[in-house]
């Protein structure tokens, strides 16, 4: 009797959640926080200089769009991050393939690369400035270097994890060198390669912010830095949100590729 | 003599391991005629897989003679089809993709043969399925089909049905016999299942371990299709079993077959 009561009670508790579409579940917590935040600001519980109300941040966001300022900054940031990422990821993929496939390349290249990898990237910034100045070249090179290692390490790992039993099958079927690469090794290593790309995007984004906070006059990072100098906290928040949104979008893009290309995978989905 | 397809003579294989040398195969001699169905039976560790891998060209460090069609084996090739105990399908390819593998399904000739093979191994409707969606028996049928697509001279099967349940296994045995009778492919079929060895083989090669050697080769003079329950079958089965009971330790679980 009492057990049944507990059971129905539990069902009742979950009722209100089940009435809300599943796609919205992830939004519930952020929405609640924003609501509380807005209310607290309206009641003057927090100072606008520390934490401007969400409505003010959104207002600032639209005025930055209207003036064209936002897209100007975003454009140059996207260019730097995109180019740096492309160069770094391409180099990572190529070198990862070489060291993963060839013992000679592994013996000669991998030790140096592993050593370089242990250097905290941000500690190289002064050196980059000394060598290349603070111009675009220096920034893109730094982003590229950051984007390089995740792709490199994961490509190498993916290749070395290819099941030798499947390689045996490809030997019996007399795969050509290109078939071995294109129909066996790359598909088998693809989960790792895509993971490397995702991590690499994150690093590219991180390095971008750091690079844009020094010696530049454009970019979302600059916009944040500039707004801080003038205590425009709402503008700082817009900049941070832009980083969050674009970061999330680029991550989703790679995840979409994973969904399409890794459909064959049989893994735990929770 | 002219019909001899595979000649193995005085084959020895030693593995160097940290604790010393392991003699995996000792003085193996076997002649297989074209189109013959040979089953090889023996307890685990007697070198059955090692023998097949040498014939397949996957393992080249041996001494002695191994000739396929009169030529020494130089490495793996499509003439020597191999079916492993695990299906070893490419997980990123569909059923038809796995069968075609490095051949293009856009080639109408390949397409036609793949469709015929899917029919033959009874996988119609699953062409576009991925390996993760298949049962063990279905996956093994895919691996049979992809070996057959390459028209091998000899098909090497290493306990191919060992991991399957009794019903699936006996079904696949029938499928394999069908294929053999239609294509006349030479079969070298390794098993540790007594009934399977007698049911399929025209000759049963009996191997014993330490070091791996051939104890005896018994002809099974029964017409196909064979009946497992027939008295002649049971008599031959006992004959094969006797070969093992001469060894001190019990090597088989009696009745492990179907
Ligand atoms: N790669 C290897 N390295 C060392 N020893 C091996 C290797 N492969 C097989 N052996 C040894 O050779 C013997 C025969 O093995 P195997 O051919 O796999 O037997 P079976 O297939 O009959 O069970 C075993 O004693 C095994 O330990
Ligand atoms: Mg074995």
């Amino acid at each position: 009797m009492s057990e049944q009561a507990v059971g129905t009670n539990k069902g009742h508790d979950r009722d209100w959640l089940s009435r809300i579409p599943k796609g919205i579940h992830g939004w519930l917590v952020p929405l609640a926080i924003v609501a509380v935040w807005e209310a607290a600001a309206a009641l003057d519980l927090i100072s606008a200089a520390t934490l401007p109300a969400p409505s003010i941040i959104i207002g600032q966001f639209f005025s930055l769009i209207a003036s064209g300022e936002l897209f100007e900054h975003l454009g140059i940031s996207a260019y730097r991050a995109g180019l740096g990422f492309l160069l770094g990821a391409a180099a990572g993929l190529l070198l990862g393939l070489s060291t993963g496939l060839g013992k000679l390349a592994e013996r000669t290249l991998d030790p140096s690369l592993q050593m370089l990898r242990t250097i905290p990237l941000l500690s190289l910034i002064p050196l980059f400035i000394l060598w290349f100045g603070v111009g675009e070249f220096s920034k893109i090179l730094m982003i590229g270097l950051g984007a390089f290692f995740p792709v490199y390490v994961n490509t190498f790992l993916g290749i070395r994890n290819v099941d030798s039993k499947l390689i045996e099958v490809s030997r019996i079927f007399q795969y050509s060198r290109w078939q071995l690469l294109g129909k066996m090794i790359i598909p088998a290593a693809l989960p790792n390669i895509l993971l490397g790309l995702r991590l690499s995007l994150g690093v590219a984004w991180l390095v971008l912010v750091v690079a844009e906070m020094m010696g530049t006059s454009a970019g979302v990072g600059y916009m944040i830095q500039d707004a801080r100098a003038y205590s425009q906290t709402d503008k700082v928040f817009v900049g941070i949100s832009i980083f969050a949104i674009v970061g999330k979008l680029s991550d989703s893009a790679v995840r979409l590729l994973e969904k399409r290309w890794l459909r064959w995978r049989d893994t735990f989905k929770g | 003599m002219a019909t001899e397809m595979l000649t193995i003579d005085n084959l020895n294989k030693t593995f160097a391991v940290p604790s010393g040398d392991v003699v995996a195969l000792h003085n193996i001699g076997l002649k297989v005629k074209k189109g013959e169905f040979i089953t090889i039976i023996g307890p685990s560790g007697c070198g059955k897989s090692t023998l097949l891998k040498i014939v397949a060209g996957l393992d080249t460090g041996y001494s002695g003679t191994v000739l396929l069609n009169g030529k020494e084996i130089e490495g793996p090739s499509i003439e020597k089809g191999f079916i492993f105990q695990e299906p070893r399908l490419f997980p990123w390819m569909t059923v038809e993709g796995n069968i075609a593998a490095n051949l293009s399904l856009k080639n109408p000739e390949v397409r036609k043969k793949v469709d015929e093979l899917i029919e033959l191994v009874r996988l119609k409707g699953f062409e576009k399925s991925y390996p993760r969606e298949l049962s063990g028996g279905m996956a093994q049928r895919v691996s049979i089909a992809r070996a057959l697509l390459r028209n091998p001279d000899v098909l090497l099967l290493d306990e191919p049905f060992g991991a399957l349940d009794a019903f699936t296994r006996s079904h696949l045995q029938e499928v394999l016999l069908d294929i053999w009778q239609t294509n006349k492919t030479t079969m070298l079929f390794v098993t540790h299942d007594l009934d399977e060895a007698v049911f399929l083989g025209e000759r049963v090669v009996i191997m014993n371990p330490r070091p791996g050697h051939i104890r005896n080769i018994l002809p099974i003079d029964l017409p196909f299709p064979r009946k497992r329950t027939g008295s002649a079958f049971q008599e031959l089965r006992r004959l094969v079993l006797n070969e093992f009971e001469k060894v001190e330790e019990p090597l088989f679980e009696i009745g492990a077959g179907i």
Side-chain angles (χ1 to χ4, degrees), chain B residues 137-237:
Chain B
M138 291 160 82
Q140 197 57 293
R141 278 180 276 163
V142 176
S143 86
I144 293 174
R146 79 178 171 182
L148 292 175
L149 178 66
R150 279 130 186 112
N151 265 330
D153 291 340
V154 56
L155 201 50
L156 309 162
L157 305 102
D158 192 358
E159 304 188 18
F161 309 146
L164 305 176
D165 64 89
F167 295 104
T168 314
R169 190 187 321 178
S170 88
H171 165 66
L172 286 189
Q173 286 167 357
E174 307 277 0
V175 171
L176 190 67
L177 281 177
D178 260 7
I179 291 165
W180 174 62
Q181 277 158 349
T182 338
N183 300 6
K184 278 289 157 202
T185 312
T186 311
M187 303 275 185
L188 230 57
F189 186 110
V190 162
T191 176
H192 56 232
D193 183 310
L194 208 55
D195 286 86
E196 191 168 61
V198 177
F199 184 73
L200 295 174
E202 293 179 291
R203 285 192 291 155
V204 178
V205 175
I206 297 155
M207 288 183 70
N208 270 335
R210 285 179 295 273
H213 63 279
I214 293 178
R215 179 178 189 95
N216 202 350
I217 301 178
L218 283 180
I220 308 292
D221 281 324
L222 291 177
F224 293 94
R226 292 170 175 170
K227 279 190 75 72
R228 291 168 216 269
T229 44
S231 60
F233 186 93
Q234 290 301 324
E235 179 56 33
L236 281 161
R237 186 185 179 283

Side-chain angles (χ1 to χ4, degrees), chain A residues 43-226:
Chain A
L43 296 172
D44 265 336
L45 293 177
I46 40 180
S47 95
T50 317
L51 202 58
S55 54
I56 294 181
I57 297 172
I58 292 170
Q60 175 67 274
F61 177 74
F62 281 112
S63 76
L64 283 170
I65 289 181
S67 70
E69 196 185 338
L70 186 64
F71 286 118
E72 198 180 303
H73 289 307
L74 188 57
I76 185 82
S77 288
Y79 161 75
R80 287 172 184 147
L83 189 59
F85 168 76
L86 277 182
L87 293 175
L93 192 63
L94 277 178
L95 279 173
L97 283 173
S98 339
T99 53
L101 293 172
K103 278 270 167 240
L104 183 71
E106 187 196 357
R107 274 201 311 274
T108 50
L109 289 176
D110 191 58
S112 317
L113 289 172
Q114 293 299 340
M115 206 162 67
L116 281 179
R117 194 169 70 90
T118 59
I119 302 174
L121 187 65
L122 301 185
S123 73
L124 292 176
I125 291 180
L127 200 61
F128 270 64
I129 294 176
L130 279 174
W131 285 350
F132 310 114
V134 288
E136 292 304 304
F137 179 71
S138 177
K139 288 185 178 22
I140 288 168
L141 201 64
M142 217 149 65
I143 294 167
L145 192 65
F148 170 80
F149 284 107
V151 177
Y152 171 75
V153 171
N154 281 287
T155 302
F156 179 84
L157 204 71
I159 292 175
R160 290 307 167 91
N161 277 342
V162 176
D163 191 348
S164 65
K165 290 182 165 180
L166 293 184
I167 299 276
E168 241 172 23
V169 175
S170 74
R171 286 178 64 202
I172 292 170
F173 288 175
Q174 294 180 291
Y175 274 39
S176 69
R177 284 178 80 85
W178 289 113
Q179 287 172 340
L180 186 66
L181 190 68
K183 295 207 157 201
M184 171 85 231
I185 288 172
I186 292 191
L190 200 57
N192 278 289
I193 294 174
L194 288 177
L195 174 68
L197 285 179
R198 265 177 82 187
L199 295 173
S200 159
L201 265 178
V203 177
W205 217 225
L206 177 83
V207 180
L208 172 79
V209 180
V210 177
E212 282 189 344
M213 288 194 171
M214 48 182 216
T216 180
S217 55
V220 178
Y222 162 77
M223 189 184 90
I224 293 177
Q225 192 73 346
D226 189 53

